[in-house]
Amino acid sequence: QVQLVESGGGLVQAGGSLRLSCSVTGRSLRELTLGWFRQSPGREREFVAAIRATGGTTRYAESVKGRFTISKENARNTGYLQLNSLKSEDTAVYYCSAGSGIILSSMTSSSAYSYWGQGTQVTVSS
């Protein structure tokens, strides 16, 4: 059974930084594409960033490019999302997700991911 557990969310002032972690058990991250999505009240869940199993290819939403960085540490079976220069509009619940066999064109689609964490709240105060 694959489980994903996020941590690292919290309250931060605009312009600040946070690092989210996603601990994966039940399957090796070497085999999985890792994605981060977010959802704020009244809005659809939206893609934030993804990294392929090999770690060589990443994708970012336009709204976070240059501010967020996705990475993973296979030895720890843990993924990360570094959030810098945070804005109030980044406030949301952030979800970690993972899946196998995800093609490049599907990396930004939530339906491509089989496994999901419970989410961690990020609140940015202005």
Side-chain angles (χ1 to χ4, degrees):
Q1 183 179 1
V2 179
Q3 291 189 320
L4 282 64
V5 178
E6 302 99 332
S7 61
L11 174 64
V12 64
Q13 288 189 330
S17 298
L18 283 174
R19 188 175 82 155
L20 307 183
S21 298
C22 175
S23 177
V24 180
T25 57
R27 193 153 175 192
S28 173
L29 261 184
R30 298 178 195 276
E31 306 169 356
L32 299 171
T33 293
L34 183 74
W36 288 92
F37 291 77
R38 66 186 181 186
Q39 188 169 20
S40 51
R43 300 188 65 177
E44 297 283 321
R45 187 170 298 189
E46 64 174 354
F47 169 76
V48 176
I51 184 168
R52 293 202 83 185
T54 59
T57 301
T58 57
R59 291 288 185 269
Y60 293 93
E62 285 297 323
S63 59
V64 308
K65 272 183 183 178
R67 300 189 298 122
F68 293 6
T69 303
I70 189 171
S71 63
K72 60 177 185 161
E73 193 172 353
N74 288 336
R76 294 180 180 270
N77 229 37
T78 300
Y80 304 99
L81 186 67
Q82 178 69 39
L83 290 64
N84 296 331
S85 302
L86 282 160
K87 307 174 182 179
S88 57
E89 51 262 44
D90 294 319
T91 294
V93 176
Y94 284 70
Y95 296 91
C96 175
S97 60
S100 60
I102 297 176
I103 59 176
L104 279 173
S105 59
S106 296
M107 286 175 69
T108 62
S109 174
S110 60
S111 62
Y113 295 83
S114 302
Y115 312 111
W116 291 84
Q118 81 288 349
T120 186
Q121 176 72 46
V122 171
T123 303
V124 184
S125 63
S126 55

